[in-house]
Amino acid sequence: MATSEAAYAVEQAIGHDDNSIIQQDVSNFSQKGTGDPNETMKALVWQTKQKVEVVDVPKPKIIEPRDVILKVTGTTVCGSDLHLLHGAVLQMHKGDILGHEFCGVVDEVGPAIRDKIKVGKRYVASFQIACGECFFCKQKLSSQCEMTNSNTTTKAMYGGRTAGIFGYSHLTGGFAGGQAEYARVPLADVNLLEIPDDVPDEKALWLSDVLPTSYNAVKDTAVYPNDVVAIFGAGPVGQMAGVFAVGEGASKVIFVDTEPRLSIIQSRWPKEHQDKLEVLDYKKLSFGVTNKETVVSKLKELTGGRGPDVAIECAAGEYAKGWMHWLEMSLGAETDTSEILNEMIEGVRNYGRAGVTGVYVGYTNHFNIGSLMQRGIRLIGNGQAPVHKYWVELLNKIKTGELDPTQMISHRVRLEDLDKVYYKFDNKEDGMQKVFVETKFSHPRAAGTPELTKY
């Protein structure tokens, strides 16, 4: 049994707390009463470490009075999904339906919310499941809802819990995700946002996660006019964090990553802000054979010796660069590397700010707390982004044309090919940045977005 599955077995033995107001561990619809055994759908499921597969599973049913069943018309693969593929996130179980970003058309509505949600209307789901009433939800900090995740291990590890999250392990409640033809949305009157007729799925889908996450990274870390911002990780979240940083008045954005991601950023960066873009290939720096420059020294050089005002981590803690962290992670001596965190802390100016948005699971070694303390660096955990705090504002930016999220989209693919897409995305093949995944219910492709690629 893989470590991730073993951790789930331990949680089952210990038992959950009693704080959740919705049913936990509905991670697929084969459990009695949760799905229709006579009607199936296609879904992407986790099988074991390094293996996902598109299979036929029962279609979900309404099981609680505030549920909605969506016909999924758009979903995607997130870099966070790769952590599940790699087994880096604990408490996965064979058959779990993945996917935390999705939108669709309402197919069925639970009896308690039929006056609020209408069959046939289009909605996008937030990746977190919030109650709307607790201490955090009343402040729109929906990712920290106290009433939708009762996992005991999570509370013991972190001293508290996040909200339930779609398709993202039993650490976050064990809810089936949206990489499927149908999705069940609990507390749907809180966790669905209606999509206007003039906004296509190819723009609305990203309100589910990537846009609020990148926006929160910039807002929560605090980017001010004329700041220089270093962004570690040039995936879709990093890309849009850079766009939002410029929107806040940043004078320069420095992306730290390697190929092919840096070339993707350069080709897709807004033309009117080309003068504000710099890129650093870390593989040509700190681990070069003859080049003695490091990421930190290069950041100082690009900023007159002082360092950027802000650094934002949009990568993750599972990717070790040096042998020491690789070995310690392999032996279970740590769950996450501190290499990028140290580069941010050492790289920014004195009293600079460093925000962490990429996923970190547990504990790390060799963390430079001395630099943090001595130089007054603000290290900010941006948290799972509170989607409900931002999604109406971001939708308005899309409607007015101020924000065009289609700049992220590199591919359009079929749900039937999604298992193949996972491995291509993981290997950074075909220039894959952000994929729009269509299902049999999807609307015709929006103008200006990629044509369908079949695998």
Side-chain angles (χ1 to χ4, degrees), residues 33-300:
T34 64
D36 184 347
N38 299 314
E39 188 172 358
T40 62
M41 65 173 183
K42 294 195 179 300
L44 188 287
V45 303
W46 189 87
Q47 297 288 30
T48 189
K49 182 178 179 179
Q50 299 292 5
K51 185 177 181 182
V52 294
E53 190 174 7
V54 176
V55 299
D56 291 323
V57 300
K59 176 190 170 186
K61 294 167 59 175
I62 298 284
I63 64 174
E64 293 177 319
R66 291 167 68 187
D67 283 355
V68 154
I69 305 301
L70 280 186
K71 291 179 179 177
V72 176
T73 56
T75 184
T76 188
V77 181
C78 178
S80 299
D81 292 321
L82 298 181
H83 309 320
L84 306 180
L85 176 67
H86 301 155
V89 176
L90 298 178
Q91 295 195 21
M92 294 299 296
H93 186 58
K94 182 180 174 67
D96 287 353
I97 299 173
L98 304 187
H100 55 274
E101 299 174 85
F102 57 96
C103 62
V105 174
V106 172
D107 187 54
E108 299 177 59
V109 183
I113 55 172
R114 286 176 182 156
D115 60 333
K116 299 176 181 177
I117 305 288
K118 300 301 181 183
V119 171
K121 291 283 190 178
R122 298 167 56 229
Y123 294 86
V124 60
S126 63
F127 77 83
Q128 61 234 209
I129 302 167
C131 73
E133 297 294 332
C134 72
F135 172 84
F136 293 107
C137 285
K138 286 178 178 178
Q139 302 177 69
K140 297 294 185 182
L141 302 176
S142 48
S143 61
Q144 307 303 320
C145 176
E146 298 172 303
M147 307 296 284
T148 58
N149 178 13
S150 61
N151 190 279
T152 304
T153 307
T154 304
K155 185 176 181 180
M157 283 179 63
Y158 300 150
R161 278 181 285 253
T162 65
I165 296 177
F166 288 106
Y168 211 73
S169 92
H170 296 261
L171 280 176
T172 60
F175 297 96
Q179 291 171 358
E181 291 176 332
Y182 291 89
R184 168 183 168 258
V185 181
L187 307 176
D189 53 317
V190 177
N191 297 297
L192 292 177
L193 179 67
E194 187 170 350
I195 303 171
D197 291 340
D198 59 347
V199 177
D201 287 351
E202 290 89 343
K203 291 184 178 181
L205 169 61
W206 320 112
L207 295 167
S208 195
D209 176 5
V210 63
L211 291 178
T213 294
S214 51
Y215 197 51
N216 181 65
V218 169
K219 287 290 193 177
D220 191 53
T221 308
V223 173
Y224 301 118
N226 298 315
D227 275 351
V228 175
V229 181
I231 295 178
F232 288 71
V237 170
Q239 178 184 355
M240 296 311 298
V243 170
F244 288 131
V246 169
E248 296 294 313
S251 60
K252 183 183 292 186
V253 177
I254 307 168
F255 284 93
V256 182
D257 206 318
T258 190
E259 295 298 346
R261 284 273 172 83
L262 294 179
S263 291
I264 292 171
I265 289 293
Q266 289 175 310
S267 67
R268 293 172 177 268
W269 187 251
K271 290 182 173 57
E272 65 272 24
H273 298 304
Q274 285 290 333
D275 60 325
K276 297 180 179 180
L277 175 66
E278 296 273 2
V279 297
L280 287 184
D281 189 335
Y282 70 84
K283 286 190 175 179
K284 294 181 179 179
L285 294 170
S286 57
F287 293 93
V289 176
T290 58
N291 192 337
K292 294 183 180 180
E293 287 185 315
T294 66
V295 170
V296 171
S297 69
K298 195 67 177 174
L299 287 174
K300 304 288 188 184

